[in-house]
Amino acid sequence: MAIDRKLRKKLIDWGRAGLISPEQSEKILSFEENHAGAHGFLFMISWLAAACIVLGMIALIASNWEAIPAFLKLTLYFLIFGIVGRILLLSKTIKPLLDEILRLGLMIYSMAGIGLVAQIYHLHSQPWRGVAFWCLITFGLALSSSGPWGAVLWLPAALFAWFSFFNTLSLAQEWIAVLGIITVGSLGIFGSFHSRKLIHLIHFRHISFLFVTLACIAYSVTAAYQLDEKIHNREFFTFLAMALLWSATIWFQKAEYKFGSRMGMLVFLGLTTAQFPLQAIASSLHWDTIPFKIVSCAFFIAGTLALAIAAFAHDQKKVFEALCIFIFLRLLALYTESLMTLTAKGFGLISVGLLILGGLYAWTKLKPTIYAKLEGELNAKK
Amino acid sequence: MLKSKQSLRALAVLFPFALLLAWTISAQMSHDRGDIFRLKIVGYDPVDLLSGHYLRFRYDLGKVDLCKDIPNKMATCACLKRGKHGTMKAEYGGSCEQLQSSCETILRGNCQYNTFLTFSERFYFPEEYTSVLALVPPDSQAEVKISKEGAIALQKIFVKERDILDYAKERIRFPDRKN
């Protein structure tokens, strides 16, 4: 009924806007009335009945789970896997969204299967082994997934398994640094590498790029809070090498990277890596915490802004906006920890509220101008 | 091109199915292989962030220090002999190759921070028994199968000849009753 009311309202709006004529509006309404049975109450009831049956079956199995013999559990598991697999393989009319859901479902279901077998046979090992096995068996599913979610699930799991495996090796710190450089650097290179031959890996590239970028951002935020700690060479060389490798890749990209994007990424990487020497200098000169945090924050803002411009050059305007908000939040955090405590508590809180409102107002007013200027600048430098 | 894409997509679905099935079959085979023995078990409670509804224990193989002079995470073997109460005890330890020729029943394991572990020291149980199986009950024994190569597969756990799940049920029904 609510849908009908909404439709009527929409039709009136479209009619007023001159998008459809009154005759068309009549025709749409009469069509919907004739087909109401297929989408209306009966349809909803049949969905409800189907949901009841499925949920009831799940509840029945779950409540009797312990009573089900191990063989039956495993048979049931593989039967369901087989049915879903058959739907994926043999149905040509399957919708892309359902295909994607089933693929992701099978990825999660595979992890459940590992747990089930381990439970039945009382097997256990270090967690990374189970995760690595899951990564091995589901790589194809993640790769054939049409959306990014396959890579979103797969890549963090693979990194967890890989880094947990490092820990078991009992290697010298230098070797761990080398392995860290190779891993993070390769991920950065892979993420920024544009090749038509690797078209199937597009989501893996994007997610890798996102992870390394997030790692850099997280690092450049946390660097400001490590002033009192000893600088670890391992971390420094890992980030330096990663930044160099990644910069080199971006620089030698010819075909698809725009100038603004390339420069933005380089500035971002440069300033992120510069946080380490800055920290070393601040430590050796016995800087006060607040000046160091201000300088570090400036590095962060400049770097993240460069990254935002790089995203803008790639027509990723939502990423640009998100990064701008992130910069604003970083400034707000700096204000709250450095200046807010200097004033009376009540006023400090009010000032934060005013700053947020001011920032929102300024962003709404200035956004069109900023977009227009950036587009003009970036197009001029193409 | 289209055909190869379709076969890759098919492979993506079939591969996990086949590998999981193969793993399950191999787990079943390991579970069925070997002779049945009883081993005494005792509690083992390191910090476990992923702990679930299972009992963590270690096999009590007697007084022989199987991990003496063995580096951490190094594979090693124990030679088992039947003890006084029918449970198996370690008579001596050493490299698996050496023990395979000199000992009738060997048990493969790994020295983790001076503790001999076989990676079968976990027994999963239904959630409802969590309250009574938080710790390994006293006088518990594990029924295991040990293959000729020394691979162990946990079958059941007994508390004084009673199946641990029956013991747990009884403890829930009669919480005040002693073992």
Side-chain angles (χ1 to χ4, degrees):
Chain A
M1 205 65 182
I3 293 166
D4 191 39
R5 206 168 50 236
K6 273 185 188 171
L7 182 68
R8 279 176 196 280
K9 195 177 172 302
K10 282 274 173 204
L11 287 173
I12 293 165
D13 288 347
W14 291 339
R16 276 182 192 155
L19 297 173
I20 52 170
S21 64
E23 291 79 31
Q24 282 172 322
S25 173
E26 286 286 321
K27 275 183 186 172
I28 292 169
L29 269 180
S30 72
F31 178 83
E32 281 300 312
E33 271 165 18
N34 290 334
H35 291 80
H39 305 287
F41 194 59
L42 284 177
F43 186 68
M44 280 165 66
I45 289 208
S46 59
W47 262 107
L48 188 70
C52 281
I53 293 167
V54 172
L55 288 174
M57 280 167 73
I58 292 171
L60 197 71
I61 293 170
S63 59
N64 293 294
W65 186 248
E66 302 310 332
I68 300 172
F71 180 75
L72 196 61
K73 279 180 195 169
L74 288 170
T75 310
L76 203 68
Y77 175 82
F78 282 107
L79 195 70
I80 293 170
F81 203 125
I83 291 169
V84 177
R86 193 195 175 283
I87 295 169
L88 271 171
L89 292 181
L90 299 179
S91 179
K92 284 175 184 166
T93 53
I94 191 167
K95 286 180 180 170
L97 180 67
L98 183 64
D99 182 280
E100 182 72 356
I101 291 169
L102 290 179
R103 269 170 208 281
L104 293 176
L106 274 190
M107 285 178 79
I108 297 165
Y109 195 61
S110 301
M111 183 54 100
I114 294 171
L116 179 68
V117 175
Q119 191 191 46
I120 286 173
Y121 296 105
H122 303 291
L123 306 173
H124 79 100
S125 67
Q126 289 149 320
W128 72 266
R129 284 176 183 267
V131 178
F133 180 58
W134 178 82
C135 289
L136 172 76
I137 63 173
T138 57
F139 181 64
L141 282 169
L143 200 64
S144 59
S145 159
S146 55
W149 293 104
V152 169
L153 282 176
W154 194 89
L155 210 61
L159 285 175
F160 167 78
W162 183 236
F163 282 110
S164 304
F165 170 65
F166 275 6
N167 275 341
T168 63
L169 293 179
S170 313
L171 293 172
Q173 294 245 317
E174 293 74 20
W175 280 108
I176 293 176
V178 169
L179 286 170
I181 290 165
I182 293 169
T183 308
V184 185
S186 326
L187 213 60
I189 290 170
F190 172 66
S192 23
F193 198 67
H194 273 235
S195 165
R196 290 185 198 283
K197 286 179 186 169
L198 299 172
I199 196 79
H200 293 295
L201 293 171
I202 188 157
H203 298 305
F204 277 81
R205 281 206 330 255
H206 286 168
I207 302 299
S208 305
F209 189 84
L210 187 74
F211 278 165
V212 180
T213 308
L214 282 176
C216 282
I217 291 178
Y219 167 69
S220 56
V221 174
T222 51
Y225 296 91
Q226 294 175 344
L227 184 61
D228 300 329
E229 288 179 21
K230 198 183 158 195
I231 294 166
H232 300 290
N233 285 340
R234 185 178 64 171
E235 287 169 11
F236 173 62
F237 284 115
T238 303
F239 272 91
L240 182 68
M242 182 209 72
L244 286 174
L245 286 169
W246 194 7
S247 309
T249 317
I250 292 163
W251 188 252
F252 289 114
Q253 292 288 334
K254 283 179 185 170
E256 308 208 15
Y257 267 91
K258 297 170 186 173
F259 179 78
S261 163
R262 195 185 298 180
M263 287 312 289
M265 284 302 303
L266 290 179
V267 172
F268 164 66
L269 288 169
L271 286 174
T272 302
T273 318
Q275 294 268 6
F276 253 119
L278 173 72
Q279 199 180 333
I281 292 164
S283 261
S284 63
L285 295 178
H286 304 289
W287 272 12
D288 223 16
T289 315
I290 290 179
F292 167 72
K293 281 188 178 172
I294 290 169
V295 178
S296 170
C297 190
F299 271 49
F300 166 78
I301 288 166
T304 313
L305 197 60
L307 184 68
I309 292 167
F312 194 93
H314 265 297
D315 295 326
Q316 298 282 340
K317 297 206 169 64
K318 279 188 179 167
V319 177
F320 172 78
E321 201 167 332
L323 287 169
C324 288
I325 292 169
F326 197 45
I327 292 169
F328 179 67
L329 290 175
R330 180 71 188 93
L331 277 169
L332 210 62
L334 185 72
Y335 169 75
T336 50
E337 69 180 316
S338 313
L339 300 169
M340 203 173 95
T341 47
L342 297 178
T343 59
K345 278 180 187 171
F347 176 75
L349 217 56
I350 293 165
S351 64
V352 169
L354 287 173
L355 274 173
I356 293 173
L357 284 175
L360 281 173
Y361 179 76
W363 178 249
T364 332
K365 282 278 165 198
L366 294 174
K367 194 174 148 183
T369 321
I370 294 170
Y371 275 37
K373 278 210 165 187
L374 271 176
E375 264 161 14
E377 285 287 323
L378 290 169
N379 287 335
K381 282 181 181 168
K382 256 184 193 176
Chain B
M1 182 71 180
L2 196 69
K3 268 204 164 181
S4 73
K5 197 182 170 188
Q6 272 176 344
S7 50
L8 276 175
R9 284 171 79 84
L11 194 69
V13 176
L14 292 173
F15 187 63
F17 184 86
L19 230 64
L20 273 171
L21 191 65
W23 182 51
T24 310
I25 292 168
S26 86
Q28 179 67 47
M29 282 165 71
S30 305
H31 194 258
D32 294 343
R33 197 173 49 189
D35 301 319
I36 287 185
F37 297 98
R38 286 277 183 103
L39 298 174
K40 204 176 166 207
I41 59 167
V42 287
Y44 177 76
D45 188 26
V47 176
D48 186 358
L49 295 174
L50 297 170
S51 65
H53 306 298
Y54 54 79
L55 203 61
R56 283 201 79 178
F57 58 86
R58 68 179 174 81
Y59 296 107
D60 179 3
L61 299 173
K63 288 176 183 166
V64 180
D65 186 359
L66 294 165
C67 290
K68 193 181 176 188
D69 302 328
I70 291 184
N72 190 31
K73 295 175 185 172
M74 180 93 167
T76 185
C77 271
C79 178
L80 302 183
K81 283 274 156 70
R82 204 168 291 279
K84 280 179 189 170
H85 304 290
T87 53
M88 303 299 279
K89 295 280 174 197
E91 201 160 58
Y92 55 92
S95 82
C96 296
E97 288 76 30
Q98 279 177 353
L99 261 64
Q100 213 139 25
S101 55
S102 64
C103 177
E104 197 181 331
T105 312
I106 65 163
L107 176 61
R108 280 177 191 273
N110 204 299
C111 282
Q112 302 274 331
Y113 302 102
N114 284 326
T115 305
F116 182 80
L117 295 176
T118 62
F119 288 108
S120 68
E121 287 92 353
R122 191 179 281 189
F123 181 80
Y124 291 91
F125 56 77
E127 190 181 350
E128 62 203 83
Y129 304 140
T130 314
S131 59
V132 288
L133 293 181
L135 297 169
V136 176
D139 300 317
S140 295
Q141 290 177 1
E143 188 178 278
V144 297
K145 274 193 178 177
I146 301 175
S147 70
K148 288 229 160 26
E149 297 78 34
I152 188 170
L154 178 63
Q155 310 285 314
K156 282 177 180 174
I157 289 188
F158 292 95
V159 183
K160 286 183 183 167
E161 299 305 317
R162 249 182 315 167
D163 190 298
I164 196 165
L165 298 181
D166 293 335
Y167 162 86
K169 266 181 220 163
E170 204 170 301
R171 285 302 299 268
I172 288 173
R173 278 186 69 193
F174 310 106
D176 299 328
R177 189 185 283 179
K178 287 191 177 173
N179 293 335

